[in-house]
Amino acid sequence: MSVAQGSAVKGRTRWKRFATVVVPASFIAGAIVFGQATGAIAASFAVSGQQFKVSADKLEGTGFVQYGGLATEKGGNPQNPADPKNHFVAVSGIKEAKLYNLCQSVKVPGLPVSMVIHAGQGAPAEATDLLINLSSLKGDATFNNIQIGIDASDLTKGGADAKGLQGSFAQQADSVTITNLKQVAWSTTAGTFKLTGLDLSISTGAKPEECF
């Protein structure tokens, strides 16, 4: 199955239930519908409130899952979906990942400064038990043996922590390949993250460097 990223479609929000439709890189004219997201937090820490960009020429992953979640800033109440410090996300989990020509950038709000990391330009960067809280994902994706519509609590392919709430929509696949990857995320966690050829720099000026 080979598909490309579509556009997001706004759903409607209720007090204790978040139901939105997102068209990710995994569907042709399809959608992920997030079920009740209250308490579905992918990371075990409060997010900074600042998003960052990640790009790669290619991502190769073994054991892929995706489901709805919530990223909460420090001081936020994850039990209150209306709290402005809560951010609904698509959680992507990959048991083993290789990233070729990886870039990560974060821009300092209100200042002409960014921090940029490059890695994997020769041998790929590698990660295990990867969990990413996404707000945006673009690329061309191929999934092998994909299951769409599985209960998020029954996910098995993305690692022990890569599960969502019972009754929530999810999908999983044996493997995934995404080329021309561009994503915006609130947080990333990994069991291990090997950044081959790590190059970290600070960029300044009228237009500081970003990954895209």
Side-chain angles (χ1 to χ4, degrees), residues 16 23-24 26 29 34 39 44-45 49 55 57 98 102 106-107 123 130 140 146 149 152 163 168 174 176 181 197 199:
K16 290 186 177 180
V23 182
S26 54
F34 295 159
S44 58
F45 55 84
S55 68
D57 289 349
K98 294 182 179 180
L102 171 68
V106 58
K107 190 175 182 298
L130 190 64
D140 299 308
I146 191 168
K163 295 179 183 291
S168 295
D174 288 347
V176 59
L181 171 71
D199 182 359

Side-chain angles (χ1 to χ4, degrees), residues 39-190:
I41 304 172
S44 58
F45 55 84
V47 299
S48 68
Q50 186 175 349
Q51 297 188 81
F52 56 93
K53 296 179 178 181
V54 175
S55 68
D57 289 349
K58 182 169 66 173
L59 179 151
E60 295 176 337
T62 301
F64 169 84
V65 301
Q66 191 170 68
Y67 53 96
L70 194 68
T72 302
E73 297 178 37
K74 189 172 184 178
N77 178 9
Q79 301 305 317
N80 177 13
D83 190 325
K85 291 189 175 182
N86 289 326
H87 308 283
F88 293 103
V89 296
V91 183
S92 291
I94 303 175
K95 194 167 186 179
E96 296 181 359
K98 294 182 179 180
L99 299 109
Y100 297 82
N101 193 22
L102 171 68
C103 174
Q104 177 178 306
S105 66
V106 58
K107 190 175 182 298
V108 179
L111 293 175
V113 180
S114 66
M115 182 178 71
V116 185
I117 292 174
H118 291 282
Q121 293 178 327
E126 299 179 7
T128 62
D129 294 325
L130 190 64
L131 277 176
I132 310 166
N133 280 337
L134 295 168
S135 61
S136 173
L137 171 66
K138 295 182 180 180
D140 299 308
T142 300
F143 296 84
N144 291 318
N145 296 324
I146 191 168
Q147 296 174 307
I148 299 173
I150 187 172
D151 190 290
S153 66
D154 291 333
L155 294 169
T156 60
K157 297 183 179 182
D161 295 329
K163 295 179 183 291
L165 289 179
Q166 182 176 343
S168 295
F169 186 100
Q171 61 179 346
Q172 66 178 0
D174 288 347
S175 64
V176 59
T177 300
I178 303 176
T179 57
N180 301 316
L181 171 71
K182 294 180 180 179
Q183 69 181 32
V184 180
W186 289 100
S187 69
T188 297
T189 63

